Amino acid sequence: MAAASTAETAEKNTPVVPAPGKSDGEKKQPPLVVKETSFARLAKVMSTCDLQPEHKLTRYGTKITCFSSDDFDTVQAHLKKNKVQFYTHGKRSARPHRVVMRGLPNAEPDYVKELLKTEHQLDVLAVHAIRRKQQLPAIDETPFIVPFPKGHTSLKELSSKTSPTHW
């Protein structure tokens, strides 16, 4: 019994150490993928960078992982400065809030966008119709993907403004 309580005490007193360069408040950053550049050249370019992020060889190229947003921006700028071609995904914090909306009028996306802006005072970035491969006779509506600026509206507010009774 005494051995078990000693192990529990040691476990409670052991500090949790985050991964190198990773702070508790940081979200995971998208990878930077370098294609068509040899690993030797990339290593030489990255040796002049102030940061040393993780590198991983994949079948798509070399994947560079950063642990903070500032590190991501620094490495991205360093790669651009040294004319290294790469691709990445947008940061999650910069992505718009996308919603699939049903029950909208069957019309062109431009008309639906204008309708949402004028009649419902919604700041809509774009409207994209989802086309089905096969038209089902029982389903006569077209769903739309509608991106909104981050933090512009909540789903609860959106559903109250755009309920079918408002059309």
Side-chain angles (χ1 to χ4, degrees):
M1 182 100 173
S5 64
T6 307
E8 288 174 9
T9 306
E11 187 176 308
K12 289 180 184 176
N13 294 334
T14 305
V16 177
V17 180
K22 193 172 190 177
S23 66
D24 292 335
E26 290 290 339
K27 299 286 185 190
K28 184 176 177 183
Q29 300 301 310
L32 297 155
V33 181
V34 178
K35 293 177 87 173
E36 301 178 20
T37 301
S38 69
F39 187 76
R41 179 171 182 269
L42 180 62
K44 186 177 179 181
V45 167
M46 290 306 294
S47 68
T48 61
C49 185
D50 297 337
L51 304 169
Q52 294 304 317
E54 272 186 16
H55 295 77
K56 182 178 180 182
L57 289 172
T58 67
R59 64 182 184 177
Y60 305 110
T62 305
K63 185 167 97 170
I64 301 173
T65 305
C66 300
F67 295 110
S68 73
S69 183
D70 293 337
D71 291 355
F72 177 85
D73 294 337
T74 302
V75 171
Q76 189 173 17
H78 186 74
L79 292 173
K80 285 179 182 178
K81 184 178 103 180
N82 289 289
K83 296 179 174 63
V84 175
Q85 292 185 2
F86 66 93
Y87 70 89
T88 188
H89 306 285
K91 291 182 181 179
R92 191 174 296 263
S93 61
R95 293 182 200 161
H97 181 75
R98 296 178 357 162
V99 177
V100 175
M101 296 181 76
R102 292 186 164 89
L104 297 172
N106 282 338
E108 290 298 314
D110 291 336
Y111 173 76
V112 173
K113 179 180 178 180
E114 200 57 38
L115 182 71
L116 290 171
K117 282 186 172 186
T118 57
E119 289 191 22
H120 298 287
Q121 293 76 38
L122 293 170
D123 188 12
V124 177
L125 298 175
V127 174
H128 306 282
I130 299 174
R131 304 284 181 215
R132 293 187 172 92
K133 290 181 182 178
Q134 296 177 348
Q135 284 297 79
L136 303 173
I139 301 173
D140 192 29
E141 70 175 9
T142 301
F144 294 94
I145 295 177
V146 183
F148 295 96
K150 199 82 162 181
H152 171 71
T153 187
S154 68
L155 289 176
K156 186 176 182 179
E157 179 185 346
L158 188 62
S159 64
S160 68
K161 282 186 176 182
T162 60
S163 66
T165 56
H166 290 98
W167 300 116

